[in-house]
Amino acid sequence: MTETYYQAHEECLDRSTLEELQARRLRALVVSLDATVPFYRQAFKDAGVDPASVEGLQDLPTLPFTVKNDLRAAYPYKMFSASMDDIVRIHASSGTTGQISVVGYTRADLEMWAQCVSRALVAAGATSHDILQVSYGYGIFTGGLGLHDGATYLGMSVIPASGGNTKRQIQFLRDFGVAGLACTPSYALLIAETARDMGLDPTTFPLRFGIFGAEAWSVGMREELEQAFDIKAYDIYGLSEILGPGVAFECSAQQGLHVNEDHFLTEIVDPQTLLPVEEGEYGEIVFTTLTKQGIPLLRYRTRDISRFITEPCSCGRTLRRLDRLRGRSDDMLIIRGVNVFPSQIEQVLTGVAEVSTNYQIIVSRTGRMDNVLVKVEIEPDFPADEIARFESIERQVRAEIESALAISVQVRLVEPKSIARSEGKAQRLIDERKEN
């Protein structure tokens, strides 16, 4: 199949031309931030940086980082670079703890965002003739409107389903000729499960592709989604502070997320030392927004953990790729000195046919000892009277997790649908150590 692009020139720039563009935009950015945002003016002084002296990408390590708390402290509009007269939309982070962080968009920002999402949709095989069902939440969270505007910009017909009312979602998917579904991967699995409970086969829906994001998900979950709906499942990545969905996207190769590098300068740093990691090593993603007007950010620490994929992509795009997210540095568990991400446990579970991908990880502490309990639902067709086999599967899951992660865990198989479902981001981790 010949790869198609939404903006072939920008998506396939040779490296030297792209880096010249990034350097030019970086120079303009630091001068603008110094002139318009008091926070950055002070940050440059504290770092001993003269914005006018920044010449290119080689100067990036000398520039200060921005973190979530900086945005919270600037609540609501103190980090904005554009005048409020030029801000046409306001969103906020979807975080549930602490002060929310507010972001604003100019008309040019919204157009750039729509173009980035259009790139992602075309890479997934969408065309202007298709119908997209957007089942991300609409409102202050960026997911729903981000995908909606991108699909509209591409010329698609959009069903703004938002989250919830799952049976109605299924009606749309079955009857409205929907080619693409956009939502969190965990909600897509809930849609498939609910459809089967209704006596419907999700593989008979006219869906061709899914655009799934807003939470880390494993290769095994991709396979489960593709089998559940008979589709191709694509990852999309973004965060409200930087843009929203569309910062990076998967192509037909499904081998990493292409970063829209003409708009976002990307680094991978060690979250402890803040120094660049070796090429291809895992670390924390750091973004600099090169073209945003409303609230441009310099070296924003995302807390998301990934790595650069160094090999060229078969799709022909020259945009660098991020590997599938391992998780977040602030969601990473340190269990008896071992770093553990929930997605690693999920990947093990997807390899065991008798259990589902509905699970929770509960971490507690007895004295100085960390305890890990993995609760996972058994598949609905598992014979309830086969106790010996039940215990055997628990031992198998425990052994495979311990082999993969080098930590000891407890595993408890529970009945189907006994773990709470979510119509947004799934709550996979309960760390009871934080409550003590």
Side-chain angles (χ1 to χ4, degrees):
M1 177 176 125
T2 303
E3 186 75 18
T4 55
Y5 313 101
Y6 180 68
Q7 293 174 312
H9 177 263
E10 291 82 357
E11 296 175 53
C12 301
L13 281 172
D14 67 81
R15 199 74 216 166
S16 61
T17 302
L18 177 58
E19 290 181 354
E20 288 174 8
L21 175 66
Q22 290 178 323
R24 184 167 68 251
R25 289 177 169 174
L26 177 63
R27 289 194 297 269
L29 172 68
V30 293
V31 171
S32 174
L33 289 175
D34 184 59
T36 60
V37 183
F39 167 83
Y40 281 114
R41 191 177 307 127
Q42 186 62 48
F44 292 141
K45 288 180 181 178
D46 293 344
V49 173
D50 176 9
S53 69
V54 174
E55 296 181 353
L57 303 184
Q58 72 275 8
D59 296 317
L60 190 61
T62 69
L63 300 176
F65 288 95
T66 311
V67 297
K68 183 89 165 182
N69 282 341
D70 296 329
L71 297 180
R72 288 173 173 157
Y75 177 88
Y77 305 135
K78 294 176 185 176
M79 288 285 277
F80 283 22
S81 180
S83 163
M84 287 303 296
D85 289 340
D86 294 322
I87 298 293
V88 296
R89 186 185 298 172
I90 294 170
H91 281 288
S93 66
S94 57
T96 57
T97 60
Q99 182 65 270
I100 62 173
S101 51
V102 180
V103 292
Y105 302 78
T106 65
R107 291 187 186 278
D109 290 337
L110 292 182
E111 182 172 9
M112 179 269 286
W113 188 7
Q115 290 175 353
C116 288
V117 173
S118 292
R119 292 181 189 181
L121 289 166
V122 170
T127 75
S128 60
H129 306 292
D130 287 327
I131 299 173
L132 182 72
Q133 181 165 320
V134 179
S135 300
Y136 289 109
Y138 280 66
I140 206 73
F141 171 57
T142 55
L145 283 169
L147 265 296
H148 184 120
D149 285 355
T152 300
Y153 198 87
L154 181 59
M156 302 179 75
S157 301
V158 184
I159 300 174
S162 193
N165 202 340
T166 304
K167 291 185 178 180
R168 180 65 60 85
Q169 303 261 4
I170 292 167
Q171 179 184 1
F172 298 156
L173 291 172
R174 184 189 61 190
D175 298 341
F176 284 23
V178 176
L181 172 64
C183 62
T184 63
S186 55
Y187 187 47
L189 287 177
L190 175 59
I191 289 173
E193 179 184 279
T194 304
R196 289 190 292 266
D197 289 345
M198 295 167 62
L200 302 173
D201 180 0
T203 65
T204 64
F205 299 168
L207 277 176
R208 296 198 323 269
F209 63 90
I211 304 289
F212 304 122
E215 59 189 21
W217 49 298
S218 65
V219 173
M221 184 173 281
R222 184 209 297 279
E223 294 170 353
E224 187 172 352
L225 285 162
E226 292 188 338
Q227 292 171 6
F229 290 101
D230 190 23
I231 59 171
K232 297 287 283 184
Y234 295 95
D235 202 354
I236 190 169
Y237 173 74
L239 57 163
S240 299
E241 296 85 354
I242 298 302
L243 183 73
V247 173
F249 61 93
E250 279 191 319
C251 64
S252 60
Q254 296 178 301
Q255 294 293 323
L257 294 141
H258 290 279
V259 180
N260 284 309
E261 289 187 280
D262 49 334
H263 299 294
F264 308 104
L265 189 57
T266 312
E267 304 170 78
I268 305 289
V269 304
D270 183 305
Q272 303 303 319
T273 68
L274 300 183
L275 296 174
V277 301
E278 294 294 325
E279 190 76 6
E281 293 295 315
Y282 280 95
E284 181 179 338
I285 306 170
V286 174
F287 285 119
T288 295
T289 64
L290 295 174
T291 60
K292 275 184 70 178
Q293 298 177 351
I295 178 170
L297 296 179
L298 183 65
R299 303 192 79 195
Y300 182 76
R301 294 185 57 189
T302 67
R303 303 292 183 178
D304 291 328
I305 302 297
S306 184
R307 68 183 180 100
F308 283 127
I309 297 174
T310 57
E311 300 82 7
C313 187
S314 60
C315 75
R317 290 176 178 83
T318 55
L319 302 171
R320 296 191 78 179
R321 287 175 293 157
L322 294 170
D323 207 345
R324 180 174 291 272
L325 298 187
R326 270 195 172 180
R328 293 179 53 82
S329 60
D330 48 6
D331 281 345
M332 182 182 74
L333 296 167
I334 301 177
I335 307 296
R336 297 185 288 279
V338 177
N339 296 343
V340 177
F341 291 95
S343 59
Q344 293 174 287
I345 293 176
E346 178 183 293
Q347 184 61 30
V348 172
L349 298 178
T350 58
V352 181
E354 294 86 353
V355 302
S356 78
T357 49
N358 293 306
Y359 68 95
Q360 277 188 332
I361 304 163
I362 302 171
V363 186
S364 59
R365 179 170 288 154
T366 303
R368 296 185 179 180
M369 180 64 69
D370 292 330
N371 306 304
V372 181
L373 170 63
V374 179
K375 294 170 59 178
V376 57
E377 292 180 6
I378 203 75
E379 284 288 1
D381 57 356
F382 186 85
D385 57 347
E386 294 193 19
I387 297 176
R389 188 174 165 210
F390 195 89
E391 294 173 346
S392 173
I393 294 169
E394 281 188 336
R395 289 194 297 271
Q396 176 192 349
V397 173
R398 183 177 70 248
E400 293 194 15
I401 292 175
E402 291 178 349
S403 174
L405 304 183
I407 61 169
S408 59
V409 300
Q410 295 175 290
V411 172
R412 181 185 304 161
L413 300 187
V414 297
E415 293 188 4
K417 303 182 183 178
S418 60
I419 296 175
R421 302 298 197 267
S422 172
E423 294 173 348
K425 297 183 182 182
Q427 184 182 12
R428 300 300 193 193
L429 173 64
I430 300 173
D431 193 345
E432 296 178 346
R433 298 174 301 180
K434 299 177 181 179
E435 301 171 3
N436 297 328

